[in-house]
Amino acid sequence: MGRARDPGKTVITGNFTQSAQGFLVADIDLNNFDSDWLEVRGDATLAGTLGLKTISLLPDRKTKVLSVGGSVTGTLTPQDSLIFDYLFNPEGSDYYFQVTGADFTPNGKVKLNRDQKAVAENLQNIWDRGGNNIFGTLFGAIADEVDNQSGSYADTLDQLLPRTGLAAVVEQTFEMLSFGDSLMSCPVFEGDGAGITEGSCGWARATGGTGHRSAIGNSPSYNANALTYQLGGQREIAPGWFIGGAAAFQQTWISQASGTVKGDGKAGYLGASLKREIGAWTLSAAAAGSYGATRFDRNLSISDLSETISSSPDVLAGSVRARIARTFAATNVYVKPYVDFDAIYSRVGDYRESGDYGLEFDSTGHWNFAATPSIEIGSRLRYKDGKDLRVYGKLGVSFLSSDQWETDARFTNRAGGTGSFKTSLEHEDLFASIGAGLQLTSIEGVDLRLEYNGRFSENLATNSGSLRLSIPF
């Protein structure tokens, strides 16, 4: 009836008949107690379906859809809905439409994961409290998407969740492991063999990396890329004792594989290390901290409802590391098994998304503990002009104590008294690390190192390459 999404009145001066196969569609706008209105001035014979273009839906509201001046035979049956119960009811010569109930977690009809069910229960709470016009528009859009456009209800609920918007804290937590690695070594060859010892040096490094996380559990697939610029140094302060430090600046780009969420951020890292060499053993400890801010935009598109929701979460992280290493050296080859123990604390302050359907997030902190046994195998190649080339490869396996980041969220424009719900981003708690590199050292001790590092699991694949210049002192 009338123009789409523009409720209006249509008048039939004679009689009106709709057969059992008929489908009369009306715009429904319960935010404004409005709808398409068909006025039949003669008799009406009714059968078939009342189709609905739901602009907005709210409880305890009704709107007139049909009035008949003459006699009426039969009735219209409102179309089926996955979530809502509809009533088309006569009051005298007028027929009114209303929503008599809603079930946002329709058990047995659709499968929802934990986060989808949590946000659906929150929508149920908002509905049960009467909602408001902002959510009336959302309820109408959900009904139209799921009932008229064959949209997936689970996918529709995903649009209301932060999804990859939680990835900044996950990625920064993993970056603390990488930054800890950079504090662990200023290696030089010892004597004429392939034995590796610690030295005093200043260094600069540039790293570029790409990463992909596949969908896991409740979490979507996304990509994370980064450029990192780092300065550091290490000095021997007493025989066998070394102190070191490093600072880094990082730019990151995060995007959900579907293209619906994108973010770019900046972060700074600062750390210090202490090492003790006892023969072929090296005992190391390090502490580091970081701060990062990421701007996210996520696109919500449900039926005719669309908006871009923006946020800028800040992430603070701190870590401590202990490493035990032992080097076994021959004339041209060395083997160095080692194990790292990390404790990482990450915290996101409370923040608020923009938009009618944005979320508010509580401040959340989380500990993650990691153990990584590894082995490095390398070789020393000596040249007549005095240069040395170290060729090496390494392999490790990391075990993490936690596999998700979880926080509490609530809609910014929720109905009064509506509570929060849990939302999370899952990640792997077991992955393999591989690396390989070339380190060319001049007779003066200046070295240039080219290195590759990767992390891999069933759902994780990251690759990075770095170039490092080191000058002894």
Side-chain angles (χ1 to χ4, degrees):
M1 291 185 282
R3 295 184 295 271
R5 299 190 62 81
D6 184 16
K9 182 179 181 181
T10 300
V11 177
I12 297 177
T13 57
N15 299 326
F16 174 75
T17 298
Q18 177 166 299
S19 69
Q21 290 74 40
F23 201 87
L24 180 68
V25 179
D27 288 341
I28 302 295
D29 181 9
L30 291 182
N31 279 355
N32 299 298
F33 299 87
D34 197 9
S35 68
D36 282 330
W37 173 20
L38 177 62
E39 180 184 355
V40 179
R41 294 181 178 172
D43 299 331
T45 302
L46 305 178
T49 302
L50 174 64
L52 305 170
K53 180 65 175 178
T54 50
I55 299 171
S56 63
L57 297 176
L58 283 170
D60 303 320
R61 300 190 183 190
K62 63 182 180 179
T63 180
K64 182 164 58 175
V65 175
L66 174 66
S67 60
V68 181
S71 62
V72 178
T73 302
T75 189
L76 300 178
T77 302
Q79 70 179 58
D80 290 334
S81 173
L82 176 68
I83 301 164
F84 300 98
D85 296 323
Y86 300 136
L87 179 65
F88 180 67
N89 194 46
E91 296 183 13
S93 61
D94 298 323
Y95 286 75
Y96 287 84
F97 170 87
Q98 65 184 106
V99 186
T100 58
D103 181 5
F104 287 88
T105 55
N107 293 327
K109 297 181 181 179
V110 65
K111 184 177 180 180
L112 303 177
N113 65 35
R114 183 185 59 202
D115 280 22
Q116 292 162 352
K117 185 176 180 181
V119 73
E121 289 173 345
N122 199 256
L123 292 176
Q124 185 73 58
N125 197 353
I126 293 171
W127 176 272
D128 292 343
R129 292 177 181 274
N132 56 39
N133 281 6
I134 289 175
F135 277 87
T137 301
L138 176 62
F139 296 146
I142 292 174
D144 190 57
E145 177 78 15
V146 175
D147 298 332
N148 293 336
Q149 301 184 33
S150 300
S152 162
Y153 182 47
D155 290 345
T156 300
L157 291 173
D158 274 340
Q159 301 225 23
L160 302 172
L161 293 166
R163 294 167 284 166
T164 304
L166 297 179
V169 64
V170 172
E171 293 302 315
Q172 195 162 322
T173 298
F174 275 75
E175 281 298 325
M176 293 299 290
L177 294 173
S178 299
F179 185 71
D181 291 339
S182 72
L183 296 170
M184 287 292 104
S185 185
C186 203
V188 294
F189 285 117
E190 184 177 27
D192 294 329
I196 294 290
T197 186
E198 293 293 332
S200 297
C201 71
W203 51 269
R205 185 173 76 164
T207 304
T210 64
H212 176 76
R213 277 187 165 86
S214 301
I216 175 174
N218 302 325
S219 305
S221 175
Y222 70 89
N223 302 309
N225 303 320
L227 287 175
T228 307
Y229 309 93
Q230 193 169 358
L231 294 172
Q234 179 174 280
R235 186 173 187 84
E236 187 173 18
I237 57 174
W241 288 90
F242 298 85
I243 59 171
F249 171 76
Q250 184 178 70
Q251 294 178 285
T252 57
W253 296 269
I254 298 172
S255 60
Q256 192 162 312
S258 64
T260 56
V261 182
K262 293 183 178 181
D264 60 87
K266 296 177 174 62
Y269 297 78
L270 189 65
S273 63
L274 175 66
K275 301 175 187 175
R276 172 63 170 149
E277 280 192 332
I278 308 172
W281 292 88
T282 303
L283 307 178
S284 307
S290 65
Y291 169 79
T294 305
R295 159 83 182 205
F296 281 103
D297 292 317
R298 60 182 180 96
N299 297 322
L300 182 150
S301 179
I302 303 173
S303 184
D304 295 313
L305 173 64
S306 64
E307 70 170 354
T308 298
I309 298 170
S310 301
S311 63
S312 297
D314 296 333
V315 179
L316 286 168
S319 68
V320 292
R321 166 176 289 191
R323 171 180 286 187
I324 303 171
R326 173 72 160 87
T327 301
F328 301 89
T331 303
N332 295 313
V333 177
Y334 72 90
V335 177
K336 184 174 76 172
Y338 59 95
V339 59
D340 291 327
F341 300 97
D342 292 270
I344 305 170
Y345 180 75
S346 305
R347 186 171 188 84
V348 181
D350 58 334
Y351 66 100
R352 179 187 178 105
E353 294 181 320
S354 68
D356 286 340
Y357 306 100
L359 300 170
E360 294 175 349
F361 297 89
D362 290 345
S363 179
T364 306
H366 181 63
W367 280 99
N368 210 334
F369 301 94
T372 307
S374 304
I375 187 168
E376 179 178 308
I377 301 175
S379 178
R380 181 180 187 179
L381 303 177
R382 306 192 70 178
Y383 297 95
K384 293 180 180 181
D385 60 1
K387 293 186 178 69
D388 282 314
L389 179 65
R390 180 168 72 105
V391 182
Y392 61 94
K394 51 190 176 180
L395 175 65
V397 179
S398 293
F399 303 86
L400 276 64
S401 63
S402 176
D403 63 357
Q404 69 172 352
W405 180 268
E406 186 177 76
T407 188
D408 291 316
R410 61 192 58 81
F411 288 102
T412 57
N413 290 308
R414 62 195 180 278
T418 304
S420 62
F421 60 92
K422 297 285 186 183
T423 183
S424 62
L425 186 69
E426 296 186 44
H427 58 78
E428 54 287 317
D429 58 2
L430 173 65
F431 61 88
S433 300
I434 63 172
L438 301 172
Q439 179 182 339
L440 181 65
T441 305
S442 71
I443 194 170
E444 296 84 8
V446 176
D447 74 57
L448 188 66
R449 188 193 308 183
L450 183 65
E451 188 171 83
Y452 162 81
N453 286 287
R455 289 175 178 157
F456 299 95
S457 73
E458 182 180 359
N459 298 290
L460 170 70
T462 69
N463 298 278
S464 68
S466 65
L467 183 65
R468 171 172 146 158
L469 175 67
S470 176
I471 300 175
F473 55 79

